[in-house]
Amino acid sequence: MLVNKQKSKQSNGFDVVNTTLSRRTFLYSLGALALSACGGESPAASAGASSRAASAMVLAANDALARAATGETAVSTSAAFVHPGLLHLQSDFDRMSTKVGAQAAPWYDGWQALIANGHSSADQTLLAEAVITRTATGGSYPHLMQNIAAAYANALYWKVTGSTTHADTAVKIMNGWSSTLQQVTGDTNQDLAAGIYGYEFAIVGEIMRTYPGLSAANLAAFQSMMKNVFYPINIAFLSGHNGTDITHYWANWDLCNIASIMAIGVLCDDHSLFDEAVNYFLFGTGNGAIRQAVYYLHPGYLGQWQETGRDQGHTTLGIALGGAICEMAWNQGIDLYGYDNNRFLAGAEYVAKSNLYEPDGTTIYTVPYLTYSNKDVTQTQLSSNAQPTLRSCWALVYNHYVNRKGLAAPWTQKMAVQVQPEGGPTGNDSGAFDQLGYGTLTFTRDPVAPAVAPSGLTAWPGAGQVALSWWGVANGTSYNVKRAAKSGGPYATIAQGVTDPLTYTDSPSPGTWYYVVSAQTSSGESANSPEATAVTVAQLHTWLTFDETSGAAAADSSGNNHAGTLVGGVTHAAGKSNRAVLLDGSSGYVSLPEDLVADVSDFTVAAWVYWNGGAAWQRVFDFGSGTGRYLYLSPKGGPDNCVRFAITTNGPYGEYRLDGTAALPTGQWTHVAVMLSGTTLTLYVNGAAANSLSNVPFAPWRIGPTAQNWIGRSQFPADPYFNGLVDEFRIYRGALSASQIALLAQGASSV
């Protein structure tokens, strides 16, 4: 599960980064969603509490379903929050003050950028209004964003120098707004205003809460404003997305509202809000959840960001918002940075590289791009609109991964240097105010010792080759790839001098192979990474013969403990070879273990089916985590009512589909198989290839954690259950040959 980073250490002193959450542990209490106002609520706020609580309950229910579908554990916090503890801890302020006092670079350069910005002046005009509007064409929101920028700059000024004059200015702005603001409104852009300015203003309040000049009553009034004006809009958006399809809103809409809820939760000491934000970032169904935001992992951990086909201004904003979310969680003991093998870093590296010039100063680096589709658009290439965008958000990301964790993040590092020293917002362009800025001053830290070895090594087989990717170490200059025929070695070096990207494709003989990677540094070779295993020969993974005559268990004859469980209207009946399961088409299905194919790349799924016919979209099998991430085989579907296989990480809009020439026959035994070799997908009916697709980028492991792995049932609740018999259900790790599939269709018990 996600761990408190301060309590789990490896022997080398580095924090453990767990990339997989434990299964079936639901710690999230709906009762915890009872919302108490910080410092009390006004009558108007109390009147809106029921609506706010209803939105929170909807979000909790949606997230609980999403977590159940993956089998992952909800985050539930209870320990006292650290204060100040959003973007900056007191230790961070102490570091800033010391470094600026010593005029140490680059902190002092960041300080100069702060004091040169007009927002840091103690002479600020209060612009508070009762109603703030933001629409597609304008509104009064610049008054709020300007005052927040001034309050933050003055708060930093106070923390670095001790100037009470600047502290009083920040307090004046806080008190002026908390005594005046009643509503944030407009068209749907109010959701952006409540999200962006909500998280930023909460950060100001968190910094100033320790200032003696901010009375307890005024702090309570500020907390109440944040919870009763901003939070209801945040939670309503995440729970309902204004009634739109879940893929409609870009990642940033989710992310800014996640950030706001998280920040308000800490500011108000409300664990239910903080947990809402963390769990949505991890498991939410919208595009701001991290698996959707970092849409696709290319080799070498270049993580394609969801908005990269849109424009680079919005894409880089995603890094600013995602970084703020990760840092705020980190400061409260939750490691979102490291989740899913540093998935956020993969996104940051991709975005940074695609907004940097090559050494010639005129050509921007190219990055791989996978076509992205949602309900509204299909984007076939990375957008050059606003490229490059040099947003003030990179110091935070760079300093966490490199100077705090000792990892290599070369493109993030180049971008951080490029925009250093990071200043704050200027002018009246709202985009400049979408982050607080001054990252060089606030986030730069002295580096820790580099990681002792590369980490996060993966080895995915495909069409006889093995694609390896890994995370480097901060002082690595190149990398060595090693392979062994048995676990633990001895290893033979198969590649040296690998630099960028950190990936290597091996072409070993068929078998099981074990890989490690080491770094070459100025002081010599590092230790080896943890080992990764790749199987380049087809192996039986799951084999359900369904030969039982009674009971709910279906034994796995592969020896891999992948037994099935009969659920609902399922009975035993005569089968193709011996016995089979009869699914009633109403409630019967077979449930298979969680994460059944989470470590599978090339695969073959084969079975004998006796379909009784009926409505389209029944399922022979469907493995997934809900209606966004799955792979399935339907006996009849699509516009032509043909047998269909599909795999996706973005719901129906992102499906890669392979249709046969007709629906599966009814009233007779039919052998059906689906095989993926590299990027080539082939569908077989009765041992003969029915169709093939050669550009499939998704293997089962890309679906992520799954707890809804079913024979006879769909991820989509409205789809009908399978009506008929299933026998000899097999999954192979690896692609069987056409002749091997033909043998299975001829009744062979092994191939």
Side-chain angles (χ1 to χ4, degrees):
M1 64 176 63
L2 284 176
V3 295
N4 184 308
K5 63 184 187 309
Q6 297 166 335
K7 295 182 179 179
S8 182
K9 302 284 185 179
Q10 294 175 333
S11 59
N12 61 16
F14 286 94
D15 299 341
V16 172
V17 176
N18 280 327
T19 60
T20 304
L21 301 183
S22 61
R23 302 293 186 254
R24 297 294 192 191
T25 306
F26 297 104
L27 303 178
Y28 200 97
S29 168
L30 293 181
L33 291 170
L35 303 175
S36 60
C38 298
E41 291 181 331
S42 66
S46 297
S50 60
S51 174
R52 182 180 66 190
S55 295
M57 292 293 285
V58 169
L59 181 66
N62 290 343
D63 286 355
L65 289 173
R67 290 192 304 275
T70 66
E72 294 177 287
T73 303
V75 171
S76 180
T77 59
S78 58
F81 285 116
V82 176
H83 296 301
L86 286 175
L87 280 187
H88 318 297
L89 303 176
Q90 184 56 46
S91 58
D92 297 324
F93 292 122
D94 293 342
R95 180 185 65 247
M96 296 177 217
S97 182
T98 299
K99 297 292 188 179
V100 169
Q103 297 190 11
W107 294 269
Y108 192 69
D109 299 322
W111 172 251
Q112 293 297 313
L114 172 72
I115 63 176
N117 190 303
H119 291 110
S120 68
S121 168
D123 183 16
Q124 299 290 331
T125 300
L126 182 65
L127 303 173
E129 297 184 6
V131 178
I132 286 294
T133 59
R134 178 165 176 169
T135 70
T137 57
S140 60
Y141 68 92
H143 294 166
L144 178 60
M145 74 183 193
Q146 292 281 0
N147 266 185
I148 291 172
Y152 179 69
N154 276 270
L156 291 182
Y157 203 113
W158 164 58
K159 279 293 192 179
V160 171
T161 68
S163 168
T164 57
T165 301
H166 288 81
D168 289 340
T169 297
V171 167
K172 177 185 75 173
I173 293 171
M174 290 173 59
N175 292 345
W177 281 93
S178 63
S179 63
T180 305
L181 183 63
Q182 298 296 315
Q183 186 180 17
V184 176
T185 189
D187 57 20
T188 57
N189 285 272
Q190 72 172 353
D191 300 321
L192 292 176
I196 294 170
Y197 310 131
Y199 96 87
E200 292 180 342
F201 219 174
I203 288 168
V204 172
E206 181 69 11
I207 296 172
M208 299 307 301
R209 69 185 303 149
T210 60
Y211 178 53
L214 178 66
S215 70
N218 285 339
L219 174 60
F222 184 80
Q223 292 169 320
S224 182
M225 174 190 69
M226 298 307 302
K227 201 165 191 181
N228 298 322
V229 177
F230 291 89
Y231 172 69
I233 300 174
N234 305 147
I235 192 66
F237 177 79
L238 290 183
S239 64
H241 289 87
N242 294 316
T244 63
D245 182 272
I246 196 62
T247 66
H248 170 70
Y249 282 99
W250 298 99
N252 288 336
W253 291 70
D254 277 359
L255 288 168
C256 68
N257 284 283
I258 293 169
S260 183
I261 292 174
M262 180 179 286
I264 294 170
V266 174
L267 175 73
C268 294
D269 288 292
D270 191 321
H271 287 277
S272 65
L273 270 64
F274 180 80
D275 294 349
E276 282 170 5
V278 170
N279 286 309
Y280 193 94
F281 184 79
L282 294 172
F283 316 118
T285 54
N287 286 322
I290 188 60
R291 283 199 185 97
Q292 284 83 257
V294 182
Y295 170 65
Y296 188 83
L297 293 176
H298 295 278
Y301 295 140
L302 286 173
Q304 183 174 320
W305 195 262
Q306 190 257 348
E307 302 202 42
T308 51
R310 183 187 184 194
D311 64 70
Q312 298 310 307
H314 288 98
T315 298
T316 53
L317 175 57
I319 303 303
L321 293 170
I325 290 166
C326 290
E327 184 70 11
M328 291 189 293
W330 176 270
N331 284 335
Q332 299 302 329
I334 302 296
D335 186 7
L336 300 183
Y337 281 116
Y339 179 72
D340 198 18
N341 197 8
N342 301 316
R343 196 175 186 101
F344 178 69
L345 176 58
E349 285 289 277
Y350 183 96
V351 174
K353 185 174 184 180
S354 58
N355 281 278
L356 285 166
Y357 284 110
E358 294 188 35
D360 63 11
T362 59
T363 306
I364 293 176
Y365 285 100
T366 59
V367 293
Y369 186 86
L370 178 70
T371 294
Y372 171 79
S373 297
N374 60 27
K375 184 181 185 297
D376 305 305
V377 298
T378 293
Q379 296 167 335
T380 60
Q381 62 185 11
L382 184 139
S383 174
S384 60
N385 188 4
Q387 187 186 41
T389 292
L390 305 180
R391 189 179 289 272
S392 297
C393 65
W394 293 99
L396 181 155
V397 184
Y398 161 66
N399 276 278
H400 173 79
Y401 287 108
V402 179
N403 288 343
R404 185 186 268 158
K405 302 298 292 181
L407 302 177
W411 300 108
T412 299
Q413 182 171 358
K414 289 178 185 294
M415 182 61 86
V417 171
Q418 178 75 25
V419 300
Q420 182 176 298
E422 289 184 349
T426 58
N428 207 35
D429 174 15
S430 62
F433 292 79
D434 289 342
Q435 60 283 314
L436 291 164
Y438 311 113
T440 303
L441 169 66
T442 58
F443 298 117
T444 301
R445 58 186 62 244
D446 293 317
V448 298
V452 298
S455 58
L457 176 65
T458 55
W460 295 114
Q465 296 183 315
V466 179
L468 299 110
S469 297
W470 61 92
W471 292 112
V473 298
N475 62 337
T477 55
S478 66
Y479 296 84
N480 309 312
V481 181
K482 307 173 186 180
R483 182 183 68 205
K486 65 177 183 179
S487 181
Y491 301 103
T493 300
I494 59 174
Q496 294 178 296
V498 179
T499 53
D500 180 77
L502 299 188
T503 182
Y504 178 76
T505 300
D506 188 27
S507 300
S509 59
T512 300
W513 299 99
Y514 303 88
Y515 295 89
V516 293
V517 175
S518 66
Q520 201 65 42
T521 74
S522 58
S523 57
E525 186 178 8
S526 76
N528 289 334
S529 69
E531 189 177 74
T533 306
V535 178
T536 58
V537 63
Q539 292 183 348
L540 190 60
H541 175 279
T542 302
W543 182 14
L544 306 183
T545 64
F546 296 122
D547 285 342
E548 295 82 9
T549 58
S550 63
D556 175 21
S557 297
S558 74
N560 294 320
N561 298 315
H562 295 153
T565 302
L566 279 55
V567 182
V570 186
T571 56
H572 299 88
K576 172 64 177 176
S577 58
N578 184 7
R579 305 289 291 174
V581 287
L582 174 61
L583 311 181
D584 67 357
S586 177
S587 65
Y589 65 99
V590 180
S591 179
L592 299 176
E594 294 178 0
D595 294 339
L596 182 68
V597 291
D599 63 349
V600 173
S601 48
D602 279 6
F603 72 90
T604 306
V605 181
W608 284 100
V609 299
Y610 189 105
W611 185 40
N612 291 327
W617 303 119
Q618 297 177 42
R619 296 290 197 269
V620 175
F621 67 85
D622 194 330
F623 304 154
S625 58
T627 58
R629 311 176 79 87
Y630 53 78
L631 61 154
Y632 74 77
L633 178 66
S634 174
K636 181 174 72 173
D640 298 322
N641 284 325
C642 296
V643 56
R644 167 174 287 186
F645 174 84
I647 184 169
T648 183
T649 62
N650 195 37
Y653 315 108
E655 282 186 356
Y656 282 75
R657 301 165 180 160
L658 179 60
D659 291 343
T661 57
L664 288 186
T666 60
Q668 64 186 67
W669 283 104
T670 303
H671 190 267
V672 61
V674 181
M675 181 272 290
L676 178 70
S677 176
T679 60
T680 300
L681 183 70
T682 307
L683 173 67
Y684 294 85
V685 178
N686 286 327
N691 202 354
S692 185
L693 189 64
S694 62
N695 65 336
V696 179
F698 296 132
W701 68 267
R702 292 189 182 274
I703 303 300
T706 61
Q708 295 182 170
N709 302 313
W710 297 322
I711 298 171
R713 180 181 173 184
S714 170
Q715 304 294 322
F716 291 82
D719 286 346
Y721 287 65
F722 185 82
N723 185 354
L725 297 106
V726 180
D727 197 4
E728 293 289 330
F729 187 90
R730 301 168 184 250
I731 303 173
Y732 288 86
R733 185 188 302 276
L736 294 182
S737 66
S739 60
Q740 289 175 312
I741 292 175
L743 285 173
L744 290 177
Q746 293 164 15
S749 60
S750 62
V751 294

